[in-house]
Structures are given as structure tokens and as C-alpha cells.
Amino acid sequence: MQTRTHYVIGIDFGSDSVRCLVVDTADGAAVASAVVAYPRWKEGLYCAPARNQYRQHPLDYTESLERCIREALSACPASVARQICGISFDTTASTPVLTDREGTPLSLLPEFAEHPDAMFILWKDHTAVAESDEINALAKRWEIDYTRYSGGSYSCEWAWAKMLHALRHAPELREKAYSWVEHCDWMAGVLTGNTRPETMPRSRCVAGHKAMWHESWGGLPSAEFFEAVDPLYNCFRGHLYTHTATADECVGRLSEEWARRLGLEAGIAVGVGAIDCHFGAVGAGIRPGTLVKVMGTSTCDIAVATYDELGDRAIHGICGQVDGSVLPGLIGLEAGQSAFGDIYAWFRRVLAWPLRQLCPERSELEGEILNRLTEEAQRLPVTEEDPVALDWHNGRRTPDLDPRMRGAIEGLTLATSAPALFKSLVEATAFGSRAINERFREEGAAINEVIAIGGIARKSPFVMQTMADITGTKIRVLDSDQACALGAAMFAAVVAGLYPDIAAAQQAMKPGFSAEYTPDPQRQAIYDKLYERYRNFGKNQTGAF
């Protein structure tokens, strides 16, 4: 039992901003928080959405982190900063960058300061489709299928495809390119002063789910495999890693330089980083039999399983199963949808186009579109004749990865209204969620309860009730708008030695629930029939399912 007050900091690097949460380790209570948007990203720099290019400058991360922590500390009593004993953080993934021999991202070198291919390549960047195709094709012919524990496919959203695309697309970077690093690993290296590629600690979570790391083949895929894909990979040979660390390990101590920059004491424990949704699942209290659904612009579905439960099976069509990636001692499972809230935002933009053209002075009305659509859509009955949509507007992540998939709607008539179309899109995203749940269960991973976190879970009862009705599962919403940062804080408390393991930290620091959604039997029966239409529509469009 703790005899004095201790605090930790959990950091959540999202797609658009960084969040800082200062937490009392005794009960998980938030003492203060802050959110800072990435300034260059906010201006749209280095991005080309028409080409699915999304890049972020490393200074967006370091400058925003410094400002965010100082803002949060300014809202605390002065004594709190002196009592902070640990810091851990999560990031989006896969978000890698090319580095030089010292582990410096190439975009921090003067000659490449404005070069998009020298930036961190954000998770949703889809410029490396051709490279991922080549990796997948060779993996199926190689003596070891290195995609076995990545659901059977390697994504264009992941590190190896992105790094090859950068080297191919920008030959001027090749002379300086020595290694690559994921965002979460670089942050740990920066804060502890250890960024050399050969010695920088590497996260088990991000290595296993995004870089095909697995103990059974000795770590990363062989250098010979990558050379067979493209000899350009040889620039990384011997400059990466074999060992990885789980998030309950301390990778070093906060350096004097960064202690000054952040307003903290030097020497506090720094934990291994991880993927944001994995820490969100920890913050939600994940355990075997629980699916944690992180619901935002896209979704990430996280579960854990025991070794006895899965045995030697590899679940096909998900985003990976990795020993210790979520909770040490259990197998972490990741799935997700490439677009969720983004689909609703797309429909809003479509409807708002004439408003922007004809009444630009009434731009505030655009923000009300989804609210009004929701009000009307939830009044509509659910019938077997309703329109049915596919939720693949940004490709399909799970089940069965295919970034080339596209959205579609069938069953339209001249009587179909805008609220009815919106309702079909909400149902499509829930159908996609059901397909993920069914794949887990078919492959032997138990899903007995669902916990939802994220902005949509907390703000849209209509979406959540539709999700419960379609999946046939009770859903509880976590009473926290900072679940990912809270999960990071829990691990910070472990690496600081305040709890013996993450289970103890979860028990003490986990919040309760703010809402619960139970399936309606009548709507569920109709949705079972609409789900079959969704599956058949998908088969007809793409051969899926």
C-alpha cells in the first residue's frame, strides 16, 4: 500500500494532437490534463490527401509534448511536479521514420527539413500499397510466412512497406538512411537520451503488430527475405533490433535536458511506449473475454487471450496477435475498421457542399448536420427492406485486409431520405464491427463483453444502441475521455515501482462506466437478416466473406 502521494504522467499522441494526463496513482484520479494540437499538421503541411499521403514533422511531437506537459503542470499545485515518479506514452501506429546513424529522423537534418519522405509517415498513409503487395507475395512463397501472426497479410499502413516506399520515392535520402524507428520508440529514446538504433529500446507492441517481429523466427524477418523483396532494404541490415520490451519495463530515466524542458525532476522512470489503442484497452480494464472497442474516426478492436485458449493457432484476417503486446503474460489481439466516424464525416461533407457554395456565411450550420440526421434517423423503424451499405470507404482493415475495397450502398429507391441513408451508414459500421467479433469467436478467442471508449462511444447513444442491436452484445462505455492516456499512466505507475504489475495498477486506477447499451430483441432479429444482406452484398462486390 502506498504511504505517500505519488503522481505519474500518461501521454497519448493521437493523429491530430497530444494529450497529457497527470494522475494520482492511488486511485487513478486525474489531477490535471491538457491537449495541444500539432501546429504543422494543423496547417496541412507535407500531406496530399488526394494521394493518401499523410506525414508529420518530428518537431510537431517534441514541441507539442513540451507545451502539453507544462500546461498540465501549470494547473496543478506546485508540489505535484516534484512528486511525479514515472512517465509512459502511446502513439498511433504504424508511424515510422527514416533515421541516420544517431537515430535522428532525417527531417531533423537541415537538408531534409521540408522533405515529406523524411517525415514520420502517419498510420493512415496509404502510399505504400505496391510495396505491401510485394511483401505479401514473397511471404507466401518464402520458407517462413512472416505474415502468419499478422492475420496473413501485411498492410500498406505498416513500417516495412512505408520505409521501402520512402527509399524508392526519394533516392536522395538513401545516403543518410541508416535505420528506421517507430514514433513510440523514438519518444522513449529522446526522453532518456538513447536514440542510437542499435541500443534504443523497442516496443514489443508495435514491433509485433506492425513489423512482423516474432520470437519463433528470432525477432524480425531475415535480412535475406527483405533483400529478396528489394535490395534497398540492405541499408537497414544490422542496424535494427532483435529484443523487444513489454510496456511494464522501464527503459531508462528522464534526462537532465528533458527534465528542464518539461518542468520535471531528472531521473524519473520512463516506460516502453505502445500503440494508442492498446493502452486504451488497458485503461478500460481489459482482461480475457473482454473486447475493448476504441471508437473514433476509425476503430481499433483489442482483445487478449491465454496461451491455452489459442494454442498454436494463428487467427486469420486480423491485424496481429503478439505475446505481451497488451498485457504481459497474455496474447494481444488487434483488429479494426479503417473508417468509422470518418464515414459519417464524409456524408456530412457531401450534404454540406451546396450549403458551402450557396450560403458560405452560414458555415456554422454544417456542424449541425449530423445532429439533425441523428435525431431523425433514430426515429425511423428498422425493416428488412432498408438500404444496406458497405463500410469500406477507406478500404477494409479487418476481417481480411484489403486497402483497395470501396464503400457502396444498395436498396435505394426514390423514397430514400437523407436520414435513411445516414442510418444505413451507421448500420454499416456496426455490421463491420459484428464481422470482427464473429471472426474472433470463429478462431477461438472468447468475446463475452464489450467495453467502448473514444469520442463516438461517449457522444452518440444512437450509434451505440445500433451497435448493441446489431452485434447482439451488451456494451458498456468507460467513464473516461482519456482512456489511452490513463492506460499509459497505469504502466507509468508500474515502471516507477508503485505497483507490482499492471493487473494491480488496473485494479486501483480503473474508472467506472458512464453508460450501458443492451440489445433490443426485436431490432436484433431484423438486423440479423440485414446483416446477411450486408455479407451477400460484400460477396457480390468483392468476393469478401
Side-chain angles (χ1 to χ4, degrees), residues 9 15 18 37 48 54 74 93 104 145 150 157 162 177 243 261 270 314 322 368 375 425 448 468 487 509 534:
I9 292 178
S15 297
V18 60
Y54 297 97
S74 70
T104 302
D145 182 356
S150 300
E157 295 182 355
K162 289 175 172 178
H243 175 72
R261 291 180 65 170
V270 177
V322 179
E368 288 299 312
E375 290 173 7
L425 295 173
N448 302 323
M509 299 171 67
Y534 167 85

Side-chain angles (χ1 to χ4, degrees), residues 55 94 96-98 117 121 125 127-136 138 154-171 173-174 177 179-180 212 225-236 240:
R55 311 297 167 86
S94 179
V97 70
L98 291 167
D117 289 318
I121 304 178
D125 186 296
T127 54
V129 173
E131 287 75 14
S132 64
D133 285 347
E134 293 173 48
I135 292 170
N136 283 315
L138 183 61
Y154 195 74
S155 173
C156 66
E157 295 182 355
W158 299 347
W160 289 111
K162 289 175 172 178
M163 296 297 88
L164 179 56
H165 179 80
L167 291 173
R168 285 175 170 176
H169 191 251
L173 300 179
R174 295 174 191 171
S179 189
W180 61 263
M212 297 185 288
F225 171 79
F226 287 116
E227 183 177 20
V229 176
D230 193 312
L232 285 175
Y233 277 123
N234 282 335
C235 69
F236 305 135
L240 285 165

Side-chain angles (χ1 to χ4, degrees), residues 450-501:
V450 175
I451 297 173
I453 64 176
I456 291 177
R458 290 175 59 81
K459 296 175 183 178
S460 181
F462 171 57
V463 172
M464 298 311 299
Q465 185 60 55
T466 302
M467 179 79 68
D469 293 338
I470 286 176
T471 62
T473 306
K474 181 175 71 176
I475 303 173
R476 293 186 292 174
V477 178
L478 194 74
D479 188 16
S480 172
D481 59 0
Q482 299 275 13
C484 296
L486 179 58
M490 290 176 180
F491 273 113
V494 175
V495 302
L498 301 175
Y499 290 103
D501 53 39

Side-chain angles (χ1 to χ4, degrees), residues 174-295:
R174 295 174 191 171
E175 182 179 353
K176 291 287 186 178
Y178 179 81
S179 189
W180 61 263
V181 65
E182 283 279 0
H183 181 193
C184 72
D185 292 331
W186 185 66
M187 293 311 308
V190 167
L191 295 186
T192 60
N194 179 13
T195 60
R196 286 192 61 82
E198 295 87 352
T199 60
M200 185 190 310
R202 307 290 182 140
S203 163
R204 170 79 55 87
C205 178
V206 73
H209 285 284
K210 310 303 179 185
M212 297 185 288
W213 181 95
H214 200 272
E215 281 188 320
S216 66
W217 46 71
L220 296 171
S222 69
E224 290 75 20
F225 171 79
F226 287 116
E227 183 177 20
V229 176
D230 193 312
L232 285 175
Y233 277 123
N234 282 335
C235 69
F236 305 135
R237 196 165 188 158
H239 309 155
L240 285 165
Y241 56 93
T242 299
H243 175 72
T244 61
T246 52
D248 58 342
E249 296 184 43
C250 177
V251 297
R253 301 285 169 173
L254 187 66
S255 69
E256 292 280 355
E257 175 193 351
W258 274 94
R260 288 192 300 271
R261 291 180 65 170
L262 300 177
L264 297 171
E265 299 287 317
I268 68 173
V270 177
V272 176
I275 304 170
D276 50 1
C277 54
H278 293 65
F279 271 8
V282 171
I286 193 170
R287 58 185 178 178
T290 299
L291 176 75
V292 175
K293 192 168 189 68
V294 187
M295 302 174 67

